[in-house]
Amino acid sequence: MTDCGKFKKFIADKLSDNINIIDQKMLDEHLAKCEECSREYEEFRKLASLIAEMKLNAPQKLSDKARELIINTKQRRNGFSWLRVAAILVPICLVLYGMLLPAYNSARVKSRVSGGPSPSEGVWGESKQVGPGDMLMSVDRISPATGFQAESISSGASFEKKPLEAPAKSEMKRSQSQSADFSYRAAPALSSASEVKAKDSRFEKKQTAGKIQFDNDVPVTETSNVTTTQTSNVTVDSKHSISHEMAMPDSPNIKLNNSALKLPGVMASRIAEGNDAGMKKDVAKTGVDKESVKNEEIDISLDTDSDGAERKREETKSLKGRFAASSRNELLPMNRTLENAFSTFSISTDNASYVQARKLIMDGRVPPPEIIRPEDFINNFNYHYPAPPAGETFYCTMDSFSNVFRTQNRTLVVGLQGRTLGPGEDEKHKYTVLLDSSGSMAVNDRMFSALRAVSLLAGKLRPGDSMRVLVGGRMLITGNQTQIKNALANVRPGGVEFFADNLLNAYNDAERNFVSGARNRLVIITDSCRNLSPEKQKFLLERTKYYRKRDIANFVLGVGIEGDDSFLERLAAEGDGAFVGVDSADELQALFSEHFEARFREIAREVKIQVEFNPQVVASWRQVGYVKRRMAAQDFRNDSVDASAVGSGQCVTAVYELTLRPDIASDDMWAARTRFRYQLPGQPGRDEREYLLSAADLKKQWKDGAPASQLAALAGEFAESLAHPNNSAFSPSRVILDHLTRLRQTRMPEDRQILELEEMLRRSK
Amino acid sequence: MLLIKNAVFFLHVLIFCFSARHTDSSVIFLNGGRVVSDSDRIRQLMDEHERELLAYAYAILKDGMLAEDAVQHAFIKMMSGGTSGIASPRAWLYKVIRNYCFDELRRNRLLDRVCKLETLPSESSDCASDEPDKAMEESEKYSDMLSALNRLTPEMREIVILKFNQCKSYREIAEITGYSVSNIGFRLHSALAKLRSMLTEGSL
């Protein structure tokens, strides 16, 4: 009687023949004792057998008409066909080839005279996607004499020790711009005077931001940490014990390691081999290139195992811990701090990429890599950072801990929390709504959602606010709430519309009816905009910029977005707005209730962030996402370069991955410096704040990181694994899911968004 | 000579690139060495699974026509998107049908109240005429159960029918519904408890 509750499940399990022997035995004993439960079991058994007997009147097969309809459905081709591209490209290539060949050959002759490698080899090295197996080849072939590298040397940066970075061309272009950034380091902005200021602001940080602790509990230096791990790994191999638990702080890793110990003999000896290699490598101080190339070779021998061994390979990887992972780093586009210490970007608060990917994953499909923007994934979550102190607009947190996927790396999470506006502080608003009513809006209730969005927005109008609604290119609705809501009842989707014309009309209308002293905003509600030529897109973006200068911001609401949405993203970025996707009624409701303040009431505009890394502490770094939002370091203080706005109570998060130098001189040195620059609404000048992170703060382990920062790191990793499905540096969703589940169970409140992310991870296994 | 050699090499590279890319994104794939197009594949899937899928949709929606709509919707979706990105077509179809059915119920809340589950009319009418009492008894026996099932929430009805009427394993149910395997036992138990309470209420 006392613990009948725990047998309830067993009863159902037993009825379904899904019970193990031990549970069955316990249940039988209990049923013998407990009258109530045995009666319940008996009744349930009867119910179950009755249900089993029933023959339900379900249709037996699809009607012929339905079958016909299904078979005759046309395939929808969103993506472009390679055949078509090939048909265009092949003639072009041939023509170009014919034209360029003579010049090409003469260059070949010349380079032979100078003793460099032949250009054709150079072309190979540059244009090929370099996978792990090709690493050796490309090292040999990209020598300093190839065309591009010669160019960058002449522009003033040194590239001799450039690591084996894979996707060659674009990567190299970036490093060209890095050399420009490099020169910026010498700019007067960073004179000794600003150093003094930096120190001051660090004290300020200690006082105001009690959250960032100087973590001196772990006095182990980075190098000594390495040695402990080594020895413990050796004991694993010889004794098959789990004594390395202390050295490996992350419990997920331990779990994997245990199972890795059960590998057959061949595999185990391979692990030992790998460890030896790793040790050698570390003894020889990783800087020596040839040694690391050798290690690479051993890794490759592991990699070439058959598919069945793939799982085991992953486990050996985590067993090898930081050694194996260091070879993964070469698959990541790391920036060397010596060459480029600045990461500068405009903030982003979009989430549309996340919403679109979620829809695809929930449908059981794999989202195409090009629609993934990691910053949308990271910023989809509310991290609830501490509120800023009185009088400040932002609170900045910097949290760093060991990277849970590539354990020798560090993760740095930079978070900005905006203040919440009080009720009386708001400016007036004037909304111009452009409602797309083209035929595609008729699909899947999109029009319904769009109309609902307009009426919800109308419901948010306060005295002094005004609103005009343009439906496609035809109809204009204006007036008070009720008038708008009534007029919306007559709107029907249909027909072909020219998005470009409508957009220009709407901007025009917004300008003609400009309300001075209010925030003028164009709200664009659409499902997609394909069929715009690149020239037209460029033109529209230019016009958007023009209107932005005239204080008309925009906001793009995507209802049921499908396919390429990069234009809408650019449109929102250029137009000082956000690109938000919704695909359910609940989300729409949430956008106009709890998220309304964050989306439509701004606390700061033109918000840019610059993170500077100290080359004496940080060896290399890379930023997760924000690819299109990045800007040159000198543009940080250039106010003619636009950036995005932050709404009331909104937070913005950026995630970095760092590798540290092995020889950090002192824990008191600063490691990273975050500056942000913003404009308060209605004020001409800009404000700038600066926060520092000391080298001691970088010592934290994964488990010591704040839960919010960990969530950001996991979301970022997931997005990147979707964006680079073939890059083995990123972890499979199974591993991310493990970490996320553990994080939620131990350190997070039950949150709908986290459960949703878990579900996505589960489905994209 | 060099020119021709280079040109041939270049062409080979081009052809290789495009052929490799093409097979990646193509919707045609091999099935036991035989090239099968999407429509053949979907025809085959329909033949194999339509019955269980219809029964499943019927369990949730309680209406034959609507169930057929749901299954048709799923197949059309598969057809229009291509089968290339789908690992397990059966599980995919179940998922799409499940989403569709629950969306449908959410969209039209009356649906759940209006539609009623039915048993198959007795197979041989002769049998009924011979022993009318027995046929009556038969339908009587199920009618309480049916009305109780009708009043169950769609989620509960789904799981009960999947388990006891269609005899799916926990694993299959977990795959279809997205609940975890260990959770299904609890859900089944609470559904059965609800059924029992409805039936005893009705008889009182």
Side-chain angles (χ1 to χ4, degrees), chain A residues 358-421:
Chain A
R358 180 182 61 198
K359 182 161 187 296
L360 289 168
I361 291 175
M362 293 301 184
D363 269 5
R365 294 182 189 273
V366 181
E370 61 270 16
I371 69 157
I372 306 288
R373 290 186 296 272
E375 64 270 28
D376 287 24
F377 278 62
I378 295 170
N379 286 319
N380 179 58
F381 300 95
N382 189 353
Y383 297 105
H384 302 287
Y385 298 123
E392 280 293 308
T393 311
F394 288 107
Y395 175 85
C396 174
T397 62
M398 280 192 275
D399 194 11
S400 173
F401 38 82
S402 59
N403 187 304
V404 74
F405 303 107
R406 294 167 286 278
T407 41
Q408 87 292 7
N409 292 358
R410 315 287 311 172
T411 303
L412 170 67
V413 177
V414 178
L416 282 193
Q417 173 70 50
R419 76 189 176 99
T420 314
L421 282 179

Side-chain angles (χ1 to χ4, degrees), chain A residues 8 13 16 18 40 43 51 54-55 57 60 62-63 67 69 71 75-76 97 101 363, chain B residues 3 6 38 43 47 50-51 68 72 77 80 92 118-120 145 163 165 170 189 196 199:
Chain A
K8 301 251 186 241
D13 286 348
S16 345
N18 191 316
E40 184 173 281
E43 282 173 4
I51 296 173
M54 276 194 321
K55 289 195 181 63
N57 187 17
Q60 298 295 308
L62 287 170
S63 65
R67 286 177 83 98
L69 199 69
I71 294 300
Q75 293 230 341
R76 185 183 65 226
Y97 191 67
L101 200 64
D363 269 5
Chain B
L3 197 148
N6 270 0
D38 258 6
R43 221 173 254 136
D47 292 339
E50 62 182 351
R51 199 171 159 166
E68 203 171 324
Q72 181 186 329
K77 199 167 180 186
S80 69
W92 188 90
E118 287 164 11
T119 44
L120 273 182
M145 190 52 159
K163 180 64 234 175
N165 196 269
Y170 272 24
H189 183 273
R196 182 180 59 168
L199 285 174

Side-chain angles (χ1 to χ4, degrees), chain A residues 5-19 36 39-41 43-77 80-83 85-87 89-90 93-94 97 101-102 104-105 108 112 120 123-124 129 359-366 444-445 586 759 762-763 765, chain B residues 2-3 6-11 13-14 18 21-22 25 27 38-40 42-43 46-47 50-51 54-55 58-59 63-65 67-68 71-73 75-87 92 95-96 99 107 117-121 123 141-142 145-146 149 160-161 163-165 167 169-171 177-178 181-186 188-189 192-196 199-200:
Chain A
K6 91 174 186 193
F7 292 101
K8 301 251 186 241
K9 175 178 166 344
F10 293 156
I11 292 177
D13 286 348
K14 188 178 157 94
L15 285 173
S16 345
D17 297 325
N18 191 316
I19 188 164
E36 193 181 326
R39 199 175 64 228
E40 184 173 281
Y41 173 72
E43 282 173 4
F44 280 7
R45 201 178 53 75
K46 274 186 199 145
L47 288 180
S49 63
L50 193 62
I51 296 173
E53 279 170 26
M54 276 194 321
K55 289 195 181 63
L56 291 175
N57 187 17
Q60 298 295 308
K61 55 196 291 268
L62 287 170
S63 65
D64 292 341
K65 207 173 147 196
R67 286 177 83 98
E68 205 175 308
L69 199 69
I70 292 167
I71 294 300
N72 292 334
T73 307
K74 289 245 162 49
Q75 293 230 341
R76 185 183 65 226
R77 294 211 174 208
F80 56 98
S81 145
W82 276 102
L83 260 185
V85 177
L89 272 185
V90 167
C93 285
L94 283 178
Y97 191 67
L101 200 64
Y104 210 63
N105 273 329
R108 188 188 170 92
R112 238 186 228 165
S120 68
V123 165
W124 258 119
Q129 288 277 321
K359 182 161 187 296
L360 289 168
I361 291 175
M362 293 301 184
D363 269 5
R365 294 182 189 273
V366 181
N444 288 347
D445 290 349
D586 292 344
E759 186 58 33
R762 207 169 286 130
R763 292 194 186 201
K765 262 183 199 173
Chain B
L2 192 72
L3 197 148
N6 270 0
V8 168
F9 175 67
F10 199 78
L11 259 180
V13 170
L14 261 182
F18 284 119
R21 295 299 180 118
H22 183 67
S25 63
V27 288
D38 258 6
S39 60
D40 286 346
I42 283 172
R43 221 173 254 136
M46 271 198 282
D47 292 339
E50 62 182 351
R51 199 171 159 166
L54 283 167
Y58 182 72
D63 183 274
M65 294 285 279
E68 203 171 324
V71 176
Q72 181 186 329
H73 164 85
F75 276 111
I76 286 182
K77 199 167 180 186
M78 179 179 256
M79 189 73 189
S80 69
T83 51
S84 52
I86 300 170
W92 188 90
K95 254 177 230 165
V96 173
N99 289 343
R107 200 171 299 153
L117 283 178
E118 287 164 11
T119 44
L120 273 182
E123 276 159 26
K141 188 169 124 198
Y142 292 134
M145 190 52 159
L146 274 179
L149 277 175
V160 165
I161 290 185
K163 180 64 234 175
F164 296 120
N165 196 269
C167 300
S169 75
Y170 272 24
R171 260 193 71 155
T177 57
V181 173
S182 54
N183 194 356
I184 291 172
F186 285 112
L188 260 182
H189 183 273
L192 284 174
K194 184 107 181 266
L195 269 182
R196 182 180 59 168
L199 285 174
T200 46

Side-chain angles (χ1 to χ4, degrees), chain A residues 267-287:
Chain A
M267 216 51 203
S269 71
R270 282 222 174 118
I271 300 166
E273 216 177 26
N275 265 332
D276 278 346
M279 280 166 65
K280 261 188 233 156
K281 181 174 175 180
D282 252 69
V283 169
K285 290 281 175 194
T286 34

Side-chain angles (χ1 to χ4, degrees), chain A residues 507-576:
Chain A
Y507 262 127
N508 221 331
D509 184 84
E511 195 186 19
R512 259 180 297 151
N513 299 291
F514 189 84
V515 179
S516 58
R519 183 63 167 154
N520 288 260
R521 194 185 280 281
L522 174 65
V523 180
I524 303 160
I525 304 178
T526 182
D527 59 338
S528 67
C529 67
R530 300 192 200 99
N531 314 330
L532 282 179
S533 64
E535 300 84 58
K536 201 135 208 183
Q537 291 191 0
K538 203 167 152 240
F539 175 70
L540 286 178
L541 290 176
E542 271 166 18
R543 294 302 293 171
T544 308
K545 260 185 174 168
Y546 163 88
Y547 285 111
R548 178 187 190 159
K549 293 269 178 296
R550 275 158 181 64
D551 277 333
I552 301 173
N554 70 11
F555 180 86
V556 183
L557 177 64
V559 281
I561 290 275
E562 260 176 24
D564 185 15
D565 59 355
S566 57
F567 173 69
L568 292 176
E569 199 259 344
R570 292 309 306 154
L571 190 69
E574 297 291 358
D576 200 11

Side-chain angles (χ1 to χ4, degrees), chain A residues 235-435:
Chain A
T235 54
V236 172
D237 284 326
S238 54
K239 294 178 196 165
H240 284 216
S241 69
I242 324 172
S243 67
H244 59 296
E245 207 159 323
M246 287 162 58
M248 293 281 194
D250 309 316
S251 36
N253 266 340
I254 293 166
K255 206 169 157 194
L256 286 172
N257 292 346
N258 289 343
S259 50
L261 292 177
K262 289 171 201 150
L263 302 182
V266 189
M267 216 51 203
S269 71
R270 282 222 174 118
I271 300 166
E273 216 177 26
N275 265 332
D276 278 346
M279 280 166 65
K280 261 188 233 156
K281 181 174 175 180
D282 252 69
V283 169
K285 290 281 175 194
T286 34
V288 188
D289 275 348
K290 278 186 182 171
E291 190 65 33
S292 66
V293 168
K294 264 186 200 166
N295 294 333
E296 199 63 44
E297 235 172 334
I298 289 158
D299 271 342
I300 290 162
S301 77
L302 279 171
D303 287 359
T304 46
D305 275 341
S306 66
D307 276 0
E310 198 174 21
R311 240 190 106 117
K312 288 173 186 167
R313 200 189 79 214
E314 272 166 30
E315 285 157 357
T316 42
K317 260 189 184 167
S318 71
L319 181 65
K320 287 197 289 173
R322 54 176 64 204
F323 309 118
S326 71
S327 69
R328 276 188 177 188
N329 265 3
E330 274 135 25
L331 299 171
L332 298 172
M334 304 291 280
N335 295 302
R336 287 175 45 117
T337 317
L338 277 174
E339 286 150 14
N340 178 11
F342 294 93
S343 160
T344 312
F345 59 98
S346 150
I347 58 100
S348 159
T349 53
D350 299 355
N351 74 347
S353 163
Y354 175 84
V355 171
Q356 199 187 346
R358 180 182 61 198
K359 182 161 187 296
L360 289 168
I361 291 175
M362 293 301 184
D363 269 5
R365 294 182 189 273
V366 181
E370 61 270 16
I371 69 157
I372 306 288
R373 290 186 296 272
E375 64 270 28
D376 287 24
F377 278 62
I378 295 170
N379 286 319
N380 179 58
F381 300 95
N382 189 353
Y383 297 105
H384 302 287
Y385 298 123
E392 280 293 308
T393 311
F394 288 107
Y395 175 85
C396 174
T397 62
M398 280 192 275
D399 194 11
S400 173
F401 38 82
S402 59
N403 187 304
V404 74
F405 303 107
R406 294 167 286 278
T407 41
Q408 87 292 7
N409 292 358
R410 315 287 311 172
T411 303
L412 170 67
V413 177
V414 178
L416 282 193
Q417 173 70 50
R419 76 189 176 99
T420 314
L421 282 179
E425 288 183 82
D426 199 21
E427 46 189 348
K428 282 180 182 151
H429 281 103
K430 191 228 146 194
Y431 302 104
T432 308
V433 179
L434 170 61
L435 185 59

